[in-house]
Amino acid sequence: VPETLSLYVCKPSGVDSEVAPEGAENLFVLVPIPADPTLGRGGVDRGGDAAIEAPKAHFPYSLPARGCPVGPMIEQQIRPWDVLDQRVLDTLTAVHREDFVPERYRELAFSDLNLPLDHGQVMMPPRLEGRLLQALDVQPSDSVLEVGTGSGYLSACLGRLGGSVLSVDLFEDFKFAAQKKAAAAGIHNVKYRVADAAAGWDPHNRL
């Protein structure tokens, strides 16, 4: 392990068999350690909070909600999947994924996992979201139709990239939750509808 990283052996609270790989007892997470001698080798600076002591091997430890920053997600998951479009990378950095993850899985916001949503739906891993956004090549003049609002994270990302977005989902609770989170993120060019997308919609530049 490089000197600037610490290996945490983590067992996030609230994780069930739908999320954790079968038979896995721990999640291993590399967390950057700042070059601050006052913290020592095993501490993490959390912007003024008390330093977190690195746990001993095999000690179950739950990362804080924002304990795994977006930077490592970009460098370790997104770029290795050939997502190199700077507009996409900037969008994935600017739209806070953790704010769109269900509260019970917030600690896993930056993990390379499908995260369960209600109604049997899932939130895709970051690497797939990045590949999808890059493949769509959404431009500021584009209108986008999204079939399936889900967590609302991709809707928000599409809104930041495109001119306008219409997101359609069968489930009303998805609509209202996504609408609220997008507004909190300062994204106001996404419209949400509760409907069956198979009913047909006006043409859009991107689907």
Side-chain angles (χ1 to χ4, degrees):
V1 177
E3 286 300 312
T4 56
L5 296 175
S6 179
L7 180 61
Y8 278 42
V9 184
C10 308
K11 186 177 292 181
S13 58
V15 178
D16 56 31
S17 59
E18 290 182 296
V19 178
E22 185 177 355
E25 296 182 354
N26 299 292
L27 296 175
F28 295 87
V29 182
L30 288 174
V31 179
I33 300 297
D36 185 344
T38 64
L39 292 178
R41 180 68 184 87
V44 176
D45 185 358
R46 289 202 299 166
D49 293 349
I52 304 172
E53 290 300 318
K56 304 297 182 182
H58 306 302
F59 183 83
Y61 176 82
S62 295
L63 285 176
R66 294 176 184 266
C68 189
V70 69
M73 180 190 80
I74 297 292
E75 298 302 323
Q76 298 170 16
Q77 298 180 48
I78 310 298
R79 286 185 182 275
W81 270 60
D82 292 327
V83 179
L84 305 175
D85 185 320
Q86 193 58 50
R87 291 182 64 239
V88 171
L89 298 176
D90 289 345
T91 294
L92 293 172
T93 301
V95 180
H96 294 172
R97 193 173 195 271
E98 66 271 26
D99 293 339
F100 292 83
V101 171
E103 186 62 34
R104 63 188 181 279
Y105 299 123
R106 191 180 175 96
E107 294 171 342
L108 297 174
F110 303 107
S111 301
D112 187 18
L113 298 168
N114 283 325
L115 297 181
L117 303 173
D118 291 336
H119 310 294
Q121 307 302 305
V122 298
M123 186 175 184
M124 293 185 292
R127 55 188 168 83
L128 295 184
E129 292 167 335
R131 284 294 292 270
L132 186 153
L133 291 171
Q134 180 169 268
L136 282 172
D137 190 27
V138 177
Q139 299 301 312
S141 60
D142 285 337
S143 62
V144 183
L145 173 62
E146 180 190 37
V147 179
T149 303
S151 70
Y153 176 66
L154 272 180
S155 314
C157 289
L158 291 167
R160 192 177 188 277
L161 289 166
S164 64
V165 178
L166 175 60
S167 182
V168 182
D169 203 289
L170 291 172
F171 304 110
E172 190 173 45
D173 53 334
F174 282 174
K175 170 197 169 180
F176 288 121
Q179 202 166 28
K180 181 178 179 180
K181 292 172 182 178
I187 296 169
H188 304 290
N189 61 338
V190 182
K191 295 182 179 180
Y192 301 89
R193 297 285 184 271
V194 177
D196 185 348
W201 298 89
D202 292 337
H204 289 71
N205 299 112
R206 297 288 187 271
L207 173 61

